[in-house]
Amino acid sequence: MSETLTRREWLAASLSLPAIAAEPRAWNRPVPLGRTGLKVTPLAMTPVGAHGAGLMLRAVDLGINYFNAFALYYDESEFPAVRAALKTVRQRIVLGGGSGETTQEGLLSEIDKKLRILGTDYIDLWYLAAPESITDEMLEAMTIAKQTGRIRACVVSTHKFAAMAPRVIEARNTVDALMVACNFATWDGGTWAGASADIARVRQAGIGIVAMKAMLGGLKFVMEDRRAWAESLTTEAKRQAALAAALRWILQNDQVDTSPITMTSLDHLERNVKAAAMAFNEADKKLLAVELERISPYYCRMCQRCEASCRNGLPVSDLQRFLLYADGYGNLRAGREGFSQLPAHLRAVRCEDCAGCTVRCPNGVRVRERVMRAQAVLA
Ligand code: SF4
Ligand code: SF4
């Protein structure tokens, strides 16, 4: 670090951002997603909440063409509205769906179930949701689903990008796109050094890139410890400004084809569209550098660099992700579900009983505090 730079200036400089393009790509101009033959708008949507179907219709009017339906098949009372909404726009949109099934029988049966719920003949992008590995059986199921016209393309979503990328490249005849946590904090400004180079390699293999966690769980972090909580506070206006900048950052990053943003209301949708209409600019860059500094003790970038370093074998990155579902997205059920799937002996470990934390996070995350909060909220 240059001696003449302050810490903040250094952070701003190290926030490795693609050059600000003279002509930014439009958020609503569809771009090809790898070799899928599908074109998706850079700004996409995961509609969530009681009126997800209506939200989707309004988003189509505003110019969004790609929708992840994951939340649309949870509330049975909404199924008729979802089917009616889809009927009117199905030919104009790209529809994503998926599940965590891993057997051939389970996957094909899940696809058929989702087709029934959504009232459609095919799903464009089927997500293999966060599998530990991609087996030949899963690939075979995807091939059958494509050949029988149930799906158009297959996407693998992963929280372990570095470990999964080589297998995805190997399976590129079947896997068409990769969904990866991607935002201003995980990019090369974090110590996931080489994220952009790794993503470029995947793209060179003809595989599309879909970003998840683009909005970092709404930049909401809660700490058990009151001192840390006070430090993490920011005003709502500042949070909204940082979210708008984070959105513009992901949209101007042409290494990423599309980013389905979780949206819960018309107000939320319109705020995002308004933010997307502006080009990413120098003020955004500075704002994100400040935000990166603020969130560093709380935000796990899922870089896996601390893998296997907890003396008690805790998957500290997964635990922080489950906590993000609860604190960031307000989805306690998803957080608890993730926690409940850990082996019993890991669910029983408590950081407060630990002799001393052996996890050293190069990104400055206060791992022990974060994991303690995850255990308090999710156990
Ligand atoms: S705790 Fe730190 S090192 Fe571990 S995955 Fe998260 S950001 Fe990376
Ligand atoms: S304090 Fe928690 S995260 Fe750290 S080594 Fe101990 S059990 Fe693992």
Side-chain angles (χ1 to χ4, degrees), residues 235-247:
T235 66
E236 183 57 19
K238 279 189 195 162
R239 192 173 73 87
Q240 290 301 340
L243 287 174
L247 183 64

Side-chain angles (χ1 to χ4, degrees), residues 309-314 316 349-352 354-359 367-368 371-372 375:
S309 64
C310 164
R311 68 165 81 231
N312 288 312
L314 288 179
V316 300
V349 171
R350 288 293 172 271
C351 287
E352 63 193 38
C354 180
C357 193
T358 50
V359 184
V367 173
R368 182 182 168 96
V371 176
M372 275 171 68
Q375 290 163 342

Side-chain angles (χ1 to χ4, degrees), residues 24-345:
R25 85 188 160 150
W27 62 272
N28 56 356
R29 190 181 309 137
V31 296
L33 179 63
R35 293 174 310 201
T36 60
L38 298 165
K39 282 187 161 188
V40 286
T41 45
L43 178 60
M45 179 200 246
T46 302
V48 172
H51 304 292
L55 199 53
M56 184 170 64
L57 290 180
R58 177 69 183 136
V60 173
D61 284 345
L62 290 172
I64 293 175
N65 89 336
Y66 172 39
F67 298 87
N68 261 354
F70 282 90
L72 292 178
Y73 30 70
Y74 286 126
D75 186 348
E76 205 163 329
S77 67
E78 275 286 298
F79 292 171
V82 167
R83 282 193 283 267
L86 272 175
K87 208 170 169 186
T88 62
V89 294
R90 185 66 191 93
Q91 299 307 316
R92 286 188 280 152
I93 67 166
V94 175
L95 187 64
S99 83
E101 285 291 333
T102 53
T103 64
Q104 185 179 122
E105 193 186 345
L107 275 164
L108 292 173
S109 136
E110 272 297 306
I111 293 171
D112 289 340
K113 185 172 145 197
K114 302 301 162 43
L115 290 175
R116 273 195 306 278
I117 289 173
L118 298 169
T120 182
D121 295 335
Y122 63 96
I123 289 173
D124 296 288
L125 299 174
W126 184 263
Y127 282 75
L128 297 173
E132 285 299 310
S133 58
I134 305 171
T135 63
D136 290 344
E137 185 177 354
M138 291 158 82
L139 295 177
E140 180 66 23
M142 292 296 96
T143 301
I144 293 170
K146 285 183 190 177
Q147 285 169 348
T148 51
R150 292 147 149 140
I151 68 168
R152 295 260 165 94
C154 162
V155 189
V156 169
S157 78
T158 181
H159 298 107
K160 300 192 172 163
F161 174 77
M164 191 61 88
R167 175 64 172 139
V168 166
I169 292 174
E170 189 183 275
R172 63 185 173 277
N173 287 338
T174 309
V175 177
D176 306 284
L178 186 64
M179 182 185 229
V180 57
C182 188
N183 55 52
F184 69 89
T186 65
W187 205 246
D188 288 351
T191 47
W192 176 13
S196 56
D198 287 346
I199 284 177
R201 257 192 298 282
V202 173
R203 290 178 65 84
Q204 275 159 18
I207 294 165
I209 295 288
V210 182
M212 63 171 151
K213 314 272 184 307
M215 308 295 272
L216 297 83
L219 292 167
K220 286 185 200 151
F221 302 98
V222 183
M223 297 296 280
E224 288 292 275
D225 171 75
R226 291 198 66 78
R227 174 188 53 80
W229 168 226
E231 277 174 23
S232 77
L233 282 178
T234 185
T235 66
E236 183 57 19
K238 279 189 195 162
R239 192 173 73 87
Q240 290 301 340
L243 287 174
L247 183 64
R248 288 192 280 273
W249 183 88
I250 197 75
L251 294 176
Q252 56 81 53
N253 184 340
D254 58 13
Q255 293 287 77
V256 172
D257 298 309
T258 185
S259 310
I261 307 292
T262 298
M263 300 191 211
T264 54
S265 66
L266 284 176
D267 181 51
H268 197 177
L269 165 65
E270 278 161 18
R271 208 166 50 230
N272 280 336
V273 166
K274 194 172 160 196
M278 279 176 64
F280 185 74
N281 54 54
E282 286 300 333
D284 287 338
K285 194 170 174 177
K286 282 182 191 147
L287 186 58
L288 293 185
V290 173
E291 196 59 13
L292 186 62
E293 187 174 14
R294 183 185 79 82
I295 67 174
S296 285
Y298 320 108
Y299 184 67
C300 170
R301 303 174 199 198
M302 296 172 230
C303 67
Q304 312 301 326
R305 291 185 67 182
C306 60
E307 185 97 334
S309 64
C310 164
R311 68 165 81 231
N312 288 312
L314 288 179
V316 300
S317 167
D318 288 342
L319 282 164
Q320 291 179 83
R321 178 163 51 83
F322 303 151
L323 179 61
L324 188 73
Y325 296 151
D327 281 350
Y329 302 130
N331 193 343
L332 185 60
R333 186 176 72 171
R336 288 205 165 139
E337 209 172 282
F339 187 87
S340 71
Q341 282 163 13
L342 294 177
H345 71 282

